[in-house]
């Protein structure tokens, strides 16, 4: 067995960068920016009013001063004249400030009669003008790589960038194995269960930018597994679930080897998830996950999501950990690194209950994993532990 971090190093070596494609801005949310982009305009492109009021010369903005209103400037419709002494222009939020004006007195500080205004309240020192380029200048760069947030999309739109270079979503082929499985909605036989792993993993991987393809269940025969693996030839990553151990019905390693798989490692010193396998199958990265539902999902969080991030150009790093105090005690750990289903609440963390690797109900309640080092001693309330949060 190899340590978790060593297994991750092997997996990162398999995680080839995905090619780049250009997509419309509307389709870029959540995608990974692959190349830096530059603003095509300045924002705002002109000095703009930040308030509704009257634009005038700051030197004249004294209490009780009077001005003649000579025009109006609205958003999208500027006043084209040049402001003279004793003159003001009615102006609205976002409108261009007229030439010759350097202050906007808010309308609440003014009384108006016809085309004359008087400043009736102290306008204060604030000019209420947004300078040209106060947000960004033409040529400002958004650096890659970065996962594009809604705020990034708004910024790109304001920069007048209609199309964005992003990493193509990695295609992950998910293959559940076993005669005992049927898909949700089918009627299971008396000795069968519902296949859950592929659906949970698909949701997890699509949440970090992959495109999951759930392939037909591979039955416990070499021919069935070969057929389904053949359907995954155009994927960027092949993930099998179950059949990676050493039982009589665990066929994945043997069949993959016959098909040309170059194995990188087998078995990781962790709990749950020990029977993990990885390598290349005819040039395509392949990971064999354990079949127990929680084991598969924990391995997805610990191994597959960092792999996807690496393929998207976001760096080769383990899933981020935070340090938190315990809100309940923990018994001592065994010889393998243990990823315990846990619940974070009020700034502290506790285990989520029974840790059997078949209990999806416990995993569904959990929002984190407590990471215990091998042979970690008994821990008390308040002790600090490493935590991997689950979204």
């Amino acid at each position: 067995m190899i340590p978790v971090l060593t297994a991750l190093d092997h997996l990162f070596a398999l995680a080839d960068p995905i090619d780049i494609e250009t997509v419309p801005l509307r389709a870029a949310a959540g995608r990974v920016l692959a190349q830096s982009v530059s603003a095509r305009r300045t924002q705002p492109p002109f000095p703009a009013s930040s308030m509704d009021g009257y634009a005038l010369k700051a030197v004249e903005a004294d209490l009780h001063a009077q001005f003649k209103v000579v025009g109006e400037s609205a958003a999208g419709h500027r006043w084209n004249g040049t402001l003279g002494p004793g003159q003001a222009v009615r102006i609205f939020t976002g409108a261009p400030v007229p030439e010759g004006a350097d202050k906007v007195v808010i309308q609440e500080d003014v009384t108006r009669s016809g085309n004359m205004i008087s400043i009736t309240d102290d306008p204060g020192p604030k000019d209420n003008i947004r300078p040209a380029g106060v947000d960004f200048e033409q040529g400002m760069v958004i650096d890659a790589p970065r996962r594009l947030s809604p705020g990034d999309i708004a910024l790109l739109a304001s920069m007048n960038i209609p199309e964005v270079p992003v990493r193509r979503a990695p295609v992950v082929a998910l293959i559940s194995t076993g005669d005992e499985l049927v898909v949700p909605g089918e009627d299971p036989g008396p000795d069968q269960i519902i296949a859950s792993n592929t659906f949970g993993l698909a949701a997890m991987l699509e949440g970090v930018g992959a495109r999951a393809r759930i392939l037909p269940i591979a039955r416990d025969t070499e021919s069935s597994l070969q057929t389904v693996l053949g359907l995954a030839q155009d994927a960027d990553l092949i993930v099998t679930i179950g059949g990676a151990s050493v039982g009589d019905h665990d066929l994945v390693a043997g069949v993959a080897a016959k098909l040309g798989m170059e194995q990188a490692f087998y078995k990781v010193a962790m709990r749950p998830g020990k029977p993990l396998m990885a390598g290349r199958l005819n040039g395509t990265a392949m990971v064999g996950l354990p079949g127990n539902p929680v084991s598969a999902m924990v391995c997805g969080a610990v191994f597959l999501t960092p792999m996807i991030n690496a393929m998207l150009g976001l760096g080769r790093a383990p899933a981020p950990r935070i340090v938190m105090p315990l809100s309940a005690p923990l018994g001592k750990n065994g010889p393998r690194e243990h990823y315990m289903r846990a619940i974070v609440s009020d700034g502290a963390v506790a285990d989520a209950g029974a840790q059997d690797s078949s209990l999806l109900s416990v995993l569904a309640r959990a929002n984190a994993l407590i990471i215990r080092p091998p042979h970690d001693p008994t821990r008390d309330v308040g002790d600090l532990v490493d935590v991997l949060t689950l979204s």
Side-chain angles (χ1 to χ4, degrees):
M1 291 187 291
I2 62 174
V4 169
L5 291 180
T6 302
L8 271 170
D9 286 339
H10 285 296
L11 292 172
F12 289 145
L14 299 172
D16 297 330
I18 296 297
D19 50 295
I20 297 171
E21 62 181 2
T22 299
V23 300
L25 181 61
R26 183 67 180 83
R31 302 292 295 275
V32 173
L33 185 68
Q35 297 170 338
S36 298
V37 293
S38 301
R40 298 169 61 183
R41 69 193 309 268
T42 293
Q43 178 63 23
F46 44 75
S49 177
S50 63
M51 303 290 284
D52 292 342
Y54 293 87
L56 43 78
K57 295 178 182 297
V59 70
E60 299 177 338
D62 296 324
L63 188 63
H64 306 308
Q66 293 186 322
F67 300 86
K68 182 180 180 180
V69 180
V70 296
E72 180 177 291
S73 184
H77 302 280
R78 72 169 59 231
W79 184 73
N80 288 312
T82 300
L83 205 65
Q87 295 181 336
V89 167
R90 178 72 166 119
I91 196 166
F92 299 93
T93 302
V97 175
E99 187 175 344
D102 57 359
K103 185 179 181 68
V104 172
V105 178
I106 64 174
Q107 61 189 21
E108 291 86 353
D109 293 341
V110 170
T111 59
R112 180 169 179 169
S113 177
N115 65 350
M116 296 298 295
I117 62 168
S118 297
I119 299 178
T120 52
D121 290 289
D122 182 4
K126 189 175 181 181
D127 63 15
N128 298 311
I129 294 173
R130 298 173 182 142
V134 68
D135 194 357
F136 56 83
E137 299 277 357
Q138 182 175 351
M140 190 191 88
V141 175
I142 296 182
D143 291 322
R146 64 192 291 155
R147 195 178 298 279
L148 293 172
S149 68
D152 293 325
I153 297 299
L155 178 59
L156 289 165
S158 188
M159 289 177 162
N160 198 23
I161 297 174
E163 296 182 321
V164 186
V166 296
R167 292 285 177 184
R168 177 177 57 78
V171 177
V172 182
L174 296 171
I175 304 171
S176 285
T177 68
D179 287 345
E180 75 277 15
L181 300 176
V182 298
V183 297
E186 290 186 359
D187 292 325
D191 300 321
Q192 291 184 305
I193 58 174
I194 308 298
S196 59
N197 296 336
T198 43
F199 292 89
L201 288 167
M204 178 185 292
L205 298 177
E206 288 175 349
V208 294
R211 183 164 65 87
R213 287 173 44 204
I214 297 178
L215 297 185
I217 295 169
R219 299 304 171 188
D220 288 329
T221 66
E222 290 194 13
S223 61
S224 177
L225 183 55
Q226 287 178 358
T227 297
V228 179
L229 285 170
L231 299 176
Q233 290 180 347
D234 59 344
D236 300 298
L237 172 63
I238 301 170
V239 177
T240 60
I241 305 105
S245 191
V246 292
D248 292 343
H249 300 285
D250 295 317
L251 305 175
V252 171
V255 170
K258 289 181 181 179
L259 294 175
M261 180 182 180
E262 302 168 7
Q263 191 175 104
F265 67 87
Y266 173 57
K267 290 189 179 180
V268 181
M270 67 181 293
R271 174 186 174 203
K274 181 177 75 171
L276 188 78
M277 175 188 69
R280 285 193 185 276
L281 179 60
N282 301 320
T284 301
M286 178 174 170
V287 178
L289 301 183
N292 276 329
V294 174
S295 300
M297 294 294 288
V298 168
C299 287
V302 174
F303 298 114
L304 296 185
T305 57
M307 275 190 83
I308 296 299
N309 286 336
M311 296 169 82
L312 289 170
L314 291 173
R316 301 184 171 200
R321 302 180 180 189
I322 58 176
V323 176
M324 300 189 74
L326 286 170
S327 58
L330 292 175
K332 64 181 180 180
N333 188 33
R336 287 181 280 158
E337 191 170 52
H338 191 184
Y339 290 76
M340 301 182 69
R341 279 68 72 202
I343 296 173
V344 172
S345 178
D346 298 326
V349 64
D351 71 274
Q355 296 293 313
D356 188 280
S357 59
S358 67
L359 301 180
L360 279 174
S361 58
V362 177
L363 180 66
R365 288 199 305 270
N367 58 10
L369 299 171
I370 295 173
I371 305 170
R372 308 283 308 278
H375 305 291
D376 194 38
T378 298
R379 297 299 197 101
D380 296 322
V381 172
D383 285 356
L384 298 179
V385 292
D386 285 341
V387 174
L388 189 160
T389 59
L390 301 173
S391 56

